[in-house]
Amino acid sequence: MRLWSVHPYYLDAKGLVALWREGLLAQKVLQGYTKGYKNHPQLTRFKNTTDPVAAIAAYLGFVVDEAEIRGYHSDRNKITARQCTKKNYSHQRATGIRIRPLIGKAER
């Protein structure tokens, strides 16, 4: 399972598509719909939030936004509808990382 800790903007096409697929799998795991991957270390940052399913939904929202900007077609309906939208769930809270320091490093 690959759930990158950088903004989807920095991923190539294959990485973005893989992130979308892996994120949907993570969503199923956090919802309790799968038997495997329950203790995967990539899920820790989502499990440590008050609402893990809303956190992964916000994360997937950023992924699908980037896909649409690039002209790719992703089905937004696959993201679980929760009260927590990306407007009130920042990328930093959803992923546990800060974007600003990474942007400076990427430009060097």
Side-chain angles (χ1 to χ4, degrees):
M1 184 176 295
R2 299 170 298 237
L3 298 173
W4 303 106
S5 295
V6 297
H7 195 280
Y9 171 82
Y10 296 103
L11 299 176
D12 63 2
K14 288 181 183 179
L16 187 64
V17 171
L19 180 60
W20 174 246
R21 285 193 320 261
E22 299 288 334
L24 291 174
L25 171 62
Q27 180 176 252
K28 294 281 186 194
V29 172
L30 292 170
Q31 290 173 313
Y33 294 149
T34 64
K35 292 182 180 178
Y37 296 105
K38 288 181 181 178
N39 297 314
H40 198 284
Q42 289 285 326
L43 297 178
T44 303
R45 62 185 150 181
F46 298 103
K47 288 181 178 180
N48 288 338
T49 64
T50 56
D51 189 348
V53 177
I56 193 70
Y59 182 87
L60 286 168
F62 284 98
V63 175
V64 77
D65 286 347
E66 181 61 29
E68 288 174 355
I69 288 169
R70 296 185 191 188
Y72 306 148
H73 301 285
S74 300
D75 186 2
R76 234 178 233 284
N77 294 324
K78 291 184 178 184
I79 301 173
T80 301
R82 296 293 273 234
Q83 291 298 320
C84 186
T85 64
K86 62 181 187 165
K87 288 182 183 174
N88 59 5
Y89 220 99
S90 72
H91 186 73
Q92 181 178 344
R93 282 188 68 189
T95 63
I97 59 125
R98 290 177 37 208
I99 296 300
R100 269 282 159 232
L102 295 173
I103 291 173
K105 290 179 183 177
E107 292 173 348
R108 291 183 198 158

